[in-house]
Amino acid sequence: MVRFRLLVAVFFGTLFYTLISVAGGRDGIWAASQMQEQKQTLSAHTAKIEKTNGELSLEKIALEKDLDVIASYAKKLGYVSEGEKLVKLSGLAAREVHIFDPGSVERHHDVSYIPEWICKFVSFLVMALVYLVLLLIDVQNGYIHLPGFKKKIKDIGGVQVYDIQQI
């Protein structure tokens, strides 16, 4: 019976440790979901940066090879070619220049999880509680007799006499 109590207590302690570790441990479900959220955030941020990079690459190629694009940028800066006249109107809003947003810094965040020592401590606590409950059930059912809980009664000549110790 002692082995059975111990094996059942160890089983429940191990089961509880496994459940806590799988659910909230360092490599558990909770940590994996946090890492998945970070992966999605970083992927979206990376896609945004790649889109901006593509637009800038196209603009760079156009500035290097297309003479019309070069001429339009030069006119924005106030340059004129031969035979053109520059007319400046005051009071009109200047055309907005497209400024590319480089984005914000996205950093890796540490993942929250239940430390290993807490998982082990709780599992040993569960094991001790299960063992204690099984021990108390055995005591209640009479499988185990603890000393000191019964009064010693003697039967002398049909009369019951309690064992009284003198101090």
Side-chain angles (χ1 to χ4, degrees):
M1 205 59 166
V2 172
R3 284 188 202 152
F4 176 73
R5 274 195 313 268
L6 184 61
L7 285 175
V8 169
V10 168
F11 170 76
F12 279 107
T14 305
L15 177 68
F16 203 79
Y17 171 76
T18 304
L19 292 175
I20 290 174
S21 294
V22 166
R26 189 181 80 185
D27 297 325
I29 296 169
W30 183 34
S33 68
Q34 292 176 36
M35 293 178 77
Q36 186 67 28
E37 288 175 13
Q38 283 189 27
K39 179 182 174 185
Q40 289 173 350
T41 303
L42 290 173
S43 295
H45 187 66
T46 303
K48 198 179 199 183
I49 290 173
E50 286 175 351
K51 180 183 173 199
T52 304
N53 185 32
E55 291 173 2
L56 288 173
S57 295
L58 287 175
E59 193 168 329
K60 177 186 171 216
I61 291 170
L63 281 171
E64 288 176 346
K65 299 189 178 183
D66 192 0
L67 295 177
D68 292 334
V69 174
I70 296 171
S72 69
Y73 270 95
K75 287 181 184 176
K76 283 182 190 177
L77 295 173
Y79 292 101
V80 291
S81 61
E82 291 182 29
E84 289 184 344
K85 294 181 181 179
L86 180 63
V87 177
K88 289 190 177 185
L89 300 174
S90 61
L92 293 178
R95 285 183 57 188
E96 292 184 25
V97 178
H98 184 65
I99 299 174
F100 292 98
D101 181 24
S104 59
V105 176
E106 288 288 331
R107 297 190 189 272
H108 169 74
H109 302 289
D110 290 334
V111 177
S112 300
Y113 59 91
I114 300 173
E116 189 71 20
W117 69 271
I118 291 178
C119 295
K120 288 178 182 177
F121 177 76
V122 171
S123 67
F124 279 117
L125 189 64
V126 166
M127 184 179 74
L129 287 174
V130 168
Y131 187 81
L132 183 64
V133 166
L134 291 175
L135 183 69
L136 290 176
I137 289 172
D138 285 349
V139 168
Q140 184 180 9
N141 289 336
Y143 299 129
I144 298 175
H145 300 288
L146 297 177
F149 286 118
K150 293 185 178 181
K151 293 182 180 179
K152 295 179 183 177
I153 300 173
K154 292 184 181 179
D155 192 20
I156 301 177
V159 178
Q160 290 183 350
V161 178
Y162 291 96
D163 186 17
I164 300 174
Q165 295 180 359
Q166 301 215 352
I167 301 177

